[in-house]
Amino acid sequence: MPEGPLLLVAFLLLHWVAAREWVVDFAPVYPAVFVIGALQCWRFHRSRLLFALVLLLMADRILLHFAFGAVADEPMGRAIVNAVALLLPLNLLAVVVIPERGPTTLRGLLIWLAIIAQPGIVAQLLGSGEGWFAQMLDARVLEGFYFGWTSLPHLSILAFLLAFVVLVARLLWEPSEEKSAQMWALIGAAFALNAGAGGLDSTTYFAVAGLMVVQAVIDVSDVSYRLAYQDALTGLPTRRGFNELLEQLVGHYTVAMVDVDHFKQFNDKHGHEVGDQVLRMVGAELGKVTGGGKSFRYGGEEFAVVFENKRIEDCQPHLEKLRATIAGRVFTIRGAFRPRKKPEHPKPPKKPRKTLKVTVSIGGADSTDPKETAEDVVKAADQALYTAKQTGRNKVW
């Protein structure tokens, strides 16, 4: 769900009496948002988002345990709220602008140390008895401006404005899901601190801010998944997906290895751009293979097709159809300035375009012996592919 509407939903639920009771019922599980998000951040090495989640959780717990209820009306309670309201936006700003280095690197450990040390330093300053630190936190530096709509002290407002301007600038300069989540998490934190010193409203807004970060981690992990499992050139699953599928297969199955004939000649004579065009065309046809086959980019000019619950003889007609379809395609070399998408009203070419004939050789093997491993089947298919190429290419063997 987009971050803005998510924050609006939280606001409406907290201000709708009937829904507020429902929010109360779920209050004990709110910290789970941060735990799940932290585990995801650790898994996908998103240290900045991990630090942001930890900061949000720390702010919520500190307010809840040290400044909630009547304590907030006491000088020490107000000072704690003011300290959190000042340090949280500055910390969120600091962790989002640092380079991504990992939470267990030397830089990551120093950040952990800085985060963990801050509550102790603040407690020491507030407990010194001199009172100057509490007075500074509650200083009125924006006299003449109307801030009756918020309970945040002026220094905190300035800190939030500074962090917001920087995060918006980063988002506009280079938009990404992560930067958007960081900006909206800051806004959620502002809502939480403005809602009071701990309690249901504050915790709910902190949880929503954490949920925004978790959502960004999911988006980042989805991108990582596509990079790992989907070939950027052809759009087919990668060799990693092929290997994982083979590990899951049981019973009969067929593996076919597909290789583009004379591919090196395409690259040497026409350049790598034409070679990429050939691979895209072959990948597009492989993606439409019949018979229930699943196609993969195996590496270079080599592809693989897996047919589950089928013998090699059942797959031969589908592989032959695939071979014939590719061989029958008229492959036109794209011009240097030809648009990626075909225009609705293309201009007639000034001179005939060059065309090429593209063919593939295919070798297949199935799991006939229960003792055979997936690696054995792939090797047998590779051997069949080698035979197809040695006996003239443009064949299914």
Side-chain angles (χ1 to χ4, degrees), residues 225 228-230 236-249 253-258 294-299 302-307 374-375 377-379 381-382:
Y225 176 88
Y229 288 91
Q230 187 177 43
L236 294 175
T238 61
R239 183 170 179 173
R240 184 172 181 175
F242 171 71
N243 291 334
E244 290 191 4
L245 176 60
L246 290 183
E247 292 175 0
Q248 300 168 8
L249 292 178
Y253 60 90
T254 293
V255 174
M257 304 304 294
V258 182
K294 295 179 181 178
S295 300
F296 301 83
R297 172 89 182 273
Y298 193 73
E302 197 168 7
F303 299 83
V305 185
V306 178
F307 296 88
E375 186 178 355
V377 178
V378 173
K379 285 182 178 179
D382 263 328

Side-chain angles (χ1 to χ4, degrees), residues 40-310:
Q40 289 286 75
C41 289
W42 192 280
R43 178 185 176 189
F44 292 103
H45 309 288
R46 313 308 297 184
S47 59
R48 288 182 295 200
L49 294 178
L50 174 61
F51 292 135
L53 277 175
V54 171
L55 288 167
L56 292 170
L57 180 59
M58 283 181 61
D60 176 57
R61 296 298 100 178
I62 289 172
L63 292 179
L64 196 59
H65 291 289
F66 297 103
F68 178 52
V71 179
D73 296 327
E74 300 174 1
M76 181 60 72
R78 289 198 303 274
I80 291 174
V81 175
N82 293 343
V84 172
L86 174 64
L87 292 175
L88 180 59
L90 296 178
N91 277 273
L92 289 175
L93 175 60
V95 299
V96 300
V97 298
I98 60 172
E100 194 82 70
R101 288 291 185 271
T104 57
T105 61
L106 177 60
R107 180 176 294 177
L109 294 176
L110 291 175
I111 295 173
W112 283 123
L113 180 62
I115 292 174
I116 295 171
Q118 286 180 66
I121 295 173
V122 170
Q124 185 70 26
L125 292 172
L126 291 177
S128 63
E130 298 179 5
W132 66 268
F133 187 62
Q135 293 176 7
M136 183 200 73
L137 292 173
D138 203 27
R140 301 298 181 211
V141 297
L142 298 172
E143 296 295 348
F145 294 88
Y146 176 70
F147 289 106
W149 52 270
T150 178
S151 60
L152 294 177
H154 292 186
L155 283 179
S156 301
I157 295 172
L158 287 174
F160 270 106
L161 286 175
L162 171 64
F164 180 75
V165 169
V166 174
L167 293 182
V168 169
R170 291 174 73 248
L171 179 62
L172 294 176
W173 179 261
E174 190 178 357
S176 71
E177 293 293 337
E178 180 177 341
K179 292 183 177 66
S180 176
Q182 291 164 347
M183 182 198 71
W184 281 102
L186 178 73
I187 297 174
F191 271 72
L193 288 162
N194 190 59
L200 180 63
D201 291 36
S202 176
T203 295
T204 301
Y205 285 126
F206 273 126
V208 170
L211 187 59
M212 294 172 183
V213 176
V214 173
Q215 187 168 273
V217 178
I218 293 172
D219 291 334
V220 169
S221 64
D222 181 57
V223 172
S224 301
Y225 176 88
R226 291 199 301 270
L227 290 174
Y229 288 91
Q230 187 177 43
D231 177 54
L233 181 64
T234 64
L236 294 175
T238 61
R239 183 170 179 173
R240 184 172 181 175
F242 171 71
N243 291 334
E244 290 191 4
L245 176 60
L246 290 183
E247 292 175 0
Q248 300 168 8
L249 292 178
V250 293
H252 300 301
Y253 60 90
T254 293
V255 174
M257 304 304 294
V258 182
D259 190 85
V260 180
D261 295 328
H262 304 294
F263 182 73
K264 187 176 184 301
Q265 295 181 14
F266 285 112
N267 278 339
D268 293 343
K269 186 175 181 180
H270 303 287
H272 289 283
E273 185 176 347
V274 173
D276 288 348
Q277 294 173 31
V278 170
L279 293 176
R280 287 194 196 97
M281 184 274 286
V282 173
E285 295 300 334
L286 278 159
K288 297 182 286 188
V289 65
T290 57
K294 295 179 181 178
S295 300
F296 301 83
R297 172 89 182 273
Y298 193 73
E301 70 273 23
E302 197 168 7
F303 299 83
V305 185
V306 178
F307 296 88
E308 297 184 49
N309 303 313
K310 279 187 172 62

